[in-house]
Amino acid sequence: MAFPEQVRIVEVGPRDGLQNEPGEIIPTAIKVELINRLADAGLSYVESASFVSPKWVPQMGDAHEVLAGIQRKPGVTYAALTPNLKGLEGAIAAGADEVAVFSAASEAFTRKNINCSIKESLERFAPVIEMAQENGIRVRGYVSTVLGCPYDGEIAPQQVAAVCADMRAMGCYEISLGDTVGVGTPLKAKRMLEAVSREVPMEQLAAHFHDTYGQALANLYAVIEEGVAVVDTSVAGLGGCPYAKGASGNVATEDVLYMLNGLGIKTGIDIEKLVATSHWITRQLGRSNGSKVALAMGCE
Ligand code: HMG
Ligand code: MG
């Protein structure tokens, strides 16, 4: 066993979490307060917005206002998703510190999510990455459906590895491996990681596991044991994916933090403040809390 001393948590709740909230559009002020509270709890990386088409994802339509409204805490990276040049231009104008492009290991999911093939998505990212780099902005890459696809079913690890290798070669500094529908299990996660890490060094990989089947913590333990030291999580387990029916949120930040604390792995996050934020946001959204740790620790 070779657990890392430290794990960097990438908080995706304000983006991956809120993008999927049904019903009314969440007021900008709530999004802004959520991001501020997360930074105050010690999260050093908050994916805060998404510059995608508001026709496709209405909840992210106020990305500019969200980034303009937050109180920037020194040392915190406020990032945004950018599927194309239009998105990148918006992210630069709003002052995003970092951006992320996103494709998938499955053709069908890519088509549903961003309306093109995997190859076309990569072609679309080339000028996005180039322009971001010219502006001194680092680009993260997401690869979805790494452990299974809601449309194509099983995905071969080699297929995942090939897309990851392409995105890295194009200039993504880190590749986040998305179990978009949360169908993976630990051994499968290890096998996928083994194939990917032959193409992309372990220190450039992140795990982005949704918890639909309740396997995310176990899957994370499996990949952290292999050396992954960057983990994407969502406060209160908020979210899902609008283009993956039935998918539930990312693994809850609180639950991952509790596990990492138990393993003696440092994160710099204050669990009390995080849990308070978790209860606050679920109250604002009128939804139940997806974090067992938040429920166990109770409200403030
Ligand atoms: P398209 O319809 O093929 O593109 O969409 P288009 O270029 O023909 O544009 C259509 C309209 O969208 C035009 O407006 C554009 O101006 C506008 P119209 O002329 O009809 O009024 N448009 C934009 N507006 C704002 N910002 C933009 C933008 N681009 C075009 N950046 C497109 C292609 C990629 C835009 C669309 O498919 C899209 O926005 N998809 C977003 C899907 C999405 O956000 N999915 C969720 C995030 S990914 C995820 O959750 C997975 C992840 O968490 C990892 C995991 O879990 O696996 C990351
Ligand atoms: Mg996701």
Side-chain angles (χ1 to χ4, degrees), residues 8-11 43-47 76-77 79 98 140 173:
R8 183 160 62 87
I9 301 275
V10 170
E11 169 62 49
L43 270 313
S44 62
Y45 192 113
V46 185
E47 197 172 72
V76 176
T77 301
E98 269 194 19
R140 197 171 194 243
Y173 78 93

Side-chain angles (χ1 to χ4, degrees), residues 117-131:
S117 67
I118 297 172
K119 186 166 174 283
E120 283 163 344
S121 76
L122 299 179
E123 284 162 9
R124 204 182 269 177
F125 298 154
V128 175
I129 295 170
E130 198 180 324
M131 186 175 163

Side-chain angles (χ1 to χ4, degrees), residues 3-255:
F3 287 116
E5 251 178 58
Q6 206 167 334
V7 159
R8 183 160 62 87
I9 301 275
V10 170
E11 169 62 49
V12 297
R15 191 282 301 172
D16 206 337
L18 300 188
Q19 75 181 7
N20 204 43
E21 277 298 307
E24 303 280 299
I25 299 292
I26 302 156
T28 306
I30 290 181
K31 297 173 181 166
V32 167
E33 185 168 347
L34 174 62
I35 296 163
N36 288 341
R37 279 174 176 256
L38 289 165
D40 186 51
L43 270 313
S44 62
Y45 192 113
V46 185
E47 197 172 72
S48 304
S50 189
F51 289 84
V52 295
S53 162
K55 284 184 196 145
W56 285 63
V57 185
Q59 285 290 12
M60 294 288 109
D62 58 353
H64 189 98
E65 290 74 15
V66 169
L67 281 176
I70 53 181
Q71 221 170 358
R72 292 184 187 235
K73 190 177 163 194
V76 176
T77 301
Y78 299 93
L81 288 196
T82 55
N84 52 20
L85 272 177
K86 187 177 169 118
L88 178 67
E89 284 158 10
I92 291 174
D97 297 319
E98 269 194 19
V99 297
V101 293
F102 49 104
S103 189
S106 119
E107 285 295 349
F109 182 81
T110 309
R111 178 68 59 192
K112 294 265 184 201
N113 194 34
I114 48 177
N115 202 22
C116 60
S117 67
I118 297 172
K119 186 166 174 283
E120 283 163 344
S121 76
L122 299 179
E123 284 162 9
R124 204 182 269 177
F125 298 154
V128 175
I129 295 170
E130 198 180 324
M131 186 175 163
Q133 286 173 342
E134 280 164 16
N135 282 271
I137 295 176
R138 297 206 301 171
V139 183
R140 197 171 194 243
Y142 279 105
V143 177
S144 286
T145 63
V146 300
L147 294 173
C149 170
Y151 313 104
D152 285 347
E154 289 288 321
I155 301 291
Q158 290 70 18
Q159 208 171 319
V160 181
V163 182
C164 292
D166 284 348
M167 286 175 93
R168 175 176 179 248
M170 290 170 70
C172 292
Y173 78 93
E174 183 170 284
I175 307 293
S176 180
L177 301 163
D179 184 9
T180 318
V181 266
V183 290
T185 46
L187 192 54
K188 208 169 174 187
K190 281 197 189 225
R191 288 193 177 133
M192 179 275 296
L193 183 67
E194 193 190 345
V196 173
S197 61
R198 270 188 237 121
E199 303 289 339
V200 180
M202 201 65 92
E203 54 276 15
Q204 286 184 270
L205 294 172
H208 178 107
F209 295 165
H210 285 256
D211 200 28
T212 316
Y213 286 81
Q215 304 295 302
L217 269 185
N219 295 343
L220 274 182
Y221 185 90
V223 299
I224 291 172
E225 202 175 19
E226 298 300 324
V228 170
V230 183
V231 175
D232 300 359
T233 64
S234 174
V235 64
L238 294 177
C241 177
Y243 301 102
K245 204 168 182 295
S248 67
N250 287 86
V251 63
T253 311
E254 306 89 299
D255 296 3

